[in-house]
Amino acid sequence: MGGPEVDRLISLLAKLPGMGPRSARRAALKMLQQPELRMLPLASALTEAARAVKPCAICGNLDSQDPCSICADAQRDRSLICVVESVGDLWALERAGVYHGLYHVLGGTLSALSGIGPEDLNVGPLLSRVGEGPVAEVILALGATVDGATTAHWLADRLRPLGVSVTRVGQGVPMGGALDVLDDGTLAAALRGRRPC
Ligand SMILES: [Zn+2]
């Protein structure tokens, strides 16, 4: 349609979440019509982000500094760790501005069906953090799914012997990158409504 460069651009864009072939063609056309204004700044932002952004060695958040800006922030409450499935969930909680403790990104949930065991998740570093740090409470903000519940129980059994209180956020909250759809009030209520597990 416009040469191999255009085909490649469209096929790469179409692989992004929320994009299909149609929206990829529209985005490619929009950029190609104003390459200086839309395309080159995007290209350099992509290159810079790919080079600079890495997972935080402590919590697993993605940031251009390591430890990430949350772990490095002296104002955060270090007695609280909120365990989330994905960086998307962490970012959604941060956007809502309702939580001021630290985080830990698991990278998924235990799943017998998909063959995901504890060794596939960021579990060991969590137990070390809780065992070594000034942590009083671990909040499990995992999905309200069978796998989310299984993971929460499994984690709670290993966290409680370390002398911390273990809580779960209110039920009915979709997690696993799905927190974006919730308004701040719902997120705040889910955090406030946490209970021992
Ligand atoms: Zn961090």
Side-chain angles (χ1 to χ4, degrees):
M1 199 161 52
E5 294 84 359
V6 175
D7 290 345
R8 180 159 174 259
L9 176 62
I10 292 172
S11 76
L12 285 171
L13 286 171
K15 292 192 178 94
L16 297 175
M19 298 280 268
R22 182 193 291 261
S23 43
R25 279 194 297 274
R26 280 171 46 204
L29 186 57
K30 192 83 185 166
M31 287 193 286
L32 288 163
Q33 284 166 338
Q34 289 182 299
E36 298 288 336
L37 186 70
R38 298 184 186 275
M39 211 160 196
L40 295 178
L42 178 64
S44 71
L46 288 171
T47 307
E48 281 164 28
R51 284 201 186 120
V53 177
K54 305 254 183 315
C56 170
I58 298 172
C59 75
N61 184 22
L62 289 170
D63 200 312
S64 56
Q65 65 179 68
D66 186 10
C68 73
S69 47
I70 296 172
C71 287
D73 183 352
Q75 304 300 313
R76 309 285 303 206
D77 183 349
R78 288 175 186 275
S79 71
L80 286 175
I81 291 181
C82 180
V83 178
V84 291
E85 285 175 40
S86 70
V87 175
D89 285 341
L90 187 163
W91 285 3
L93 281 162
E94 279 303 287
R95 265 201 313 281
V98 294
Y99 174 71
H100 305 288
L102 301 177
Y103 293 94
H104 195 88
V105 180
L106 269 192
T109 51
L110 298 174
S111 171
L113 209 60
S114 312
I116 299 172
E119 65 284 356
D120 300 310
L121 302 175
N122 191 18
V123 169
L126 172 65
L127 300 179
S128 306
R129 282 179 80 186
V130 173
E132 293 158 12
V135 183
E137 180 182 351
V138 177
I139 303 164
L140 302 175
L142 304 172
T145 59
V146 173
D147 286 343
T150 306
T151 310
H153 284 130
W154 189 90
L155 277 176
D157 286 346
R158 274 142 196 91
L159 288 164
R160 268 190 234 101
L162 301 174
V164 287
S165 95
V166 186
T167 56
R168 285 192 76 179
V169 297
Q171 286 291 305
V173 177
M175 301 265 175
L179 278 179
D180 304 49
V181 299
L182 297 179
D183 60 87
D184 300 357
T186 308
L187 273 176
L191 268 177
R192 268 200 313 275
R194 65 188 193 261
R195 54 211 162 84
C197 69

